[in-house]
Amino acid sequence: MLTLSCLQPSKTRAAIPHELHPISYCFRRPSLSLSVYSTRNQSNWRRSLCIRAIDAAQPYDYETQIYERFEQSIKLRIAIVGFGNFGQFLAKTLVQQGHTVLVHSRSNYSDIATKLGVSFYSDPNDLCEEHPEVILLCTSILSTESVLKSLPLQRLKRSTLFVDVLSVKEMPRNLFLQILPPEFDILCTHPMFGPESGKNGWGGLPFVYDKVRIGNEESRVHRCNNFLNIFAQEGCRLVEMSCAEHDRHAAGTQFITHFIGRTLGKIDLDFTPINTKGYETLLNLRDNTCGDSFELFYGLFIYNKNALEQLERLDMAFESVKKQLFGRLHDILRKQMFENDEDLEAPQSNNGAVDESPQSQ
């Protein structure tokens, strides 16, 4: 008979011939099941009969308790610092996935926190004394440094994981490394979407991350992976990328997008009865970018060293297109001018002779 010491056999057996002795081992979850069979006197049998006996799952049996402890281990205790629009946007999904969410903000969002099912702390000391596993910074780019320095780090566990979701990455990375003690873990991330673009789900949307400093302990590695799994569960496309590489790409994909959108906002574009698809795309771009704060737009410019280069390239491209347009216009005007000069030449008589008749004089 075969035995497995790590699993307990099922207690209920099916009625079978004594020559065949099945032993069923099964976890109570449908996706985890295993059956082991042994036979006696196989010479008396031309074929083996495989029977799996599964006993009724008990709510508190050994395997269920193991599974529940495993299931509980992947839930995180997350503190969101900065509970504005984006912090609230992320909190909804965190709560839906079963994570414990604590929030802190300079503004009083206690009513909104209650509706979302999260705990609001007006004092950062009280928040840190709850010992969250993850500190998730959802502040504005410009206020990140002051907020980070205001947190009572001494009240946190020394292995706490710090995560940011800013639209620039080298700046928070450098701040984390300068301000946080070396015992803290650091994960820099950027969900490439927001409350508007992600309102219908996060499936297929990119999520960029950089494991700046993660401890070697298994628990810390798992905690980092569990946090990333929040976005993987929602269908995001996870992209591991250094903070420097992110900023190089984002200067084009994000800063230029915001710059064009805000430029369109300076002219009176309006809905017309003959809108084209391209024109409606421009209107949507204007509305999406102008809906964000100017503080965000300024942060994309001032804290991404690649933004100025992109702005200069855009300016050169704008001038190049203007020169192309006016150059073509110059050629057309020049051609028309010379044609008019030919028409203004002196009239000639037949065979090209000048008419000197008295009538002409």
Side-chain angles (χ1 to χ4, degrees):
M1 179 179 293
L2 301 178
T3 60
L4 293 178
S5 59
C6 62
L7 301 175
Q8 293 183 352
S10 174
K11 297 178 181 179
T12 304
R13 305 288 177 83
I16 56 173
H18 69 278
E19 291 88 352
L20 185 63
H21 294 268
I23 307 175
S24 293
Y25 301 90
C26 61
F27 287 107
R28 299 305 182 260
R29 299 295 171 176
S31 60
L32 300 174
S33 62
L34 174 66
S35 296
V36 182
Y37 306 94
S38 65
T39 59
R40 289 181 184 175
N41 302 325
Q42 293 188 8
S43 59
N44 296 333
W45 294 84
R46 297 299 181 187
R47 60 189 178 87
S48 297
L49 178 64
C50 295
I51 301 175
R52 181 177 64 177
I54 302 179
D55 59 334
Q58 301 299 321
Y60 298 106
D61 60 14
Y62 179 73
E63 296 89 344
T64 299
Q65 292 178 33
I66 291 179
Y67 187 89
E68 288 177 349
R69 285 199 296 269
F70 169 77
E71 202 172 38
Q72 183 66 28
S73 68
I74 65 175
K75 302 306 178 185
L76 296 172
R77 190 174 181 82
I78 303 173
I80 296 178
V81 177
F83 199 52
N85 289 335
F86 199 77
Q88 296 169 25
F89 170 66
L90 293 180
K92 293 176 184 178
T93 297
L94 297 178
V95 171
Q96 289 172 0
Q97 290 191 8
H99 300 283
T100 300
V101 180
L102 321 170
V103 300
H104 162 70
S105 188
R106 289 176 295 182
S107 302
N108 186 357
Y109 291 111
S110 56
D111 291 340
I112 296 177
T114 300
K115 292 179 181 178
L116 293 179
V118 304
S119 302
F120 181 81
Y121 295 85
S122 58
D123 191 328
N125 289 278
D126 295 336
L127 177 79
C128 293
E129 285 180 352
E130 293 295 326
H131 293 162
E133 299 171 84
V134 180
I135 297 288
L136 179 59
L137 287 184
C138 295
T139 60
S140 68
I141 297 174
L142 301 183
S143 63
T144 299
E145 182 174 4
S146 61
V147 171
L148 185 59
K149 289 181 176 179
S150 70
L151 294 178
L153 302 179
Q154 73 280 2
R155 298 185 183 276
L156 295 169
K157 291 183 178 179
R158 285 179 294 175
S159 63
T160 302
L161 172 63
F162 272 76
V163 184
D164 84 285
V165 289
L166 299 185
S167 299
V168 293
K169 293 271 65 73
E170 284 197 280
M171 184 271 281
R173 174 187 181 276
N174 294 337
L175 279 179
F176 281 159
L177 291 174
Q178 291 170 11
I179 297 174
L180 296 179
E183 295 83 9
F184 288 105
D185 287 346
I186 300 172
L187 176 66
C188 289
T189 77
H190 182 197
M192 304 293 292
F193 52 89
E196 183 62 28
S197 56
K199 64 183 179 182
N200 296 320
W202 303 355
L205 299 176
F207 178 85
V208 180
Y209 68 95
D210 184 7
K211 297 179 180 180
V212 176
R213 187 173 70 198
I214 304 298
N216 295 325
E217 291 88 342
E218 186 176 359
S219 60
R220 296 167 75 168
V221 173
H222 285 171
R223 178 181 59 191
C224 177
N225 292 335
N226 288 340
F227 181 84
L228 294 174
N229 190 53
I230 292 171
F231 298 88
Q233 279 187 249
E234 298 301 317
C236 290
R237 179 168 56 88
L238 269 62
V239 181
E240 186 169 13
M241 180 182 296
S242 71
C243 292
E245 186 179 2
H246 167 277
D247 283 2
R248 286 196 300 271
H249 291 305
T253 62
Q254 194 169 30
F255 173 72
I256 290 298
T257 299
H258 277 258
F259 187 90
I260 294 296
R262 287 191 170 271
T263 302
L264 293 173
K266 297 297 182 180
I267 58 180
D268 295 327
L269 296 180
D270 201 0
F271 189 88
T272 74
I274 55 171
N275 280 5
T276 63
K277 291 294 183 181
Y279 183 71
E280 290 182 352
T281 300
L282 292 180
L283 293 179
N284 290 333
L285 174 62
R286 178 200 62 185
D287 295 341
N288 288 339
T289 53
C290 292
D292 291 324
S293 66
F294 185 82
E295 189 179 43
L296 169 63
F297 179 51
Y298 181 70
L300 294 175
F301 174 68
I302 199 67
Y303 287 112
N304 188 337
K305 63 184 181 181
N306 306 282
L308 182 58
E309 178 187 352
Q310 290 294 332
L311 189 57
E312 291 174 346
R313 292 179 60 192
L314 180 63
D315 188 51
M316 292 173 59
F318 184 73
E319 291 299 325
S320 176
V321 173
K322 283 176 60 178
K323 288 179 180 179
Q324 188 177 6
L325 284 174
F326 288 117
R328 177 67 63 86
L329 178 62
H330 178 267
D331 292 340
I332 294 175
L333 292 175
R334 183 181 180 187
K335 182 178 180 181
Q336 291 177 351
M337 183 176 65
F338 280 112
E339 287 178 351
N340 291 337
D341 286 346
E342 292 175 359
D343 294 339
L344 293 175
E345 289 180 358
Q348 296 181 353
S349 62
N350 293 336
N351 300 324
V354 177
D355 188 359
E356 295 183 353
S357 62
Q359 292 84 353
S360 64
Q361 296 177 357

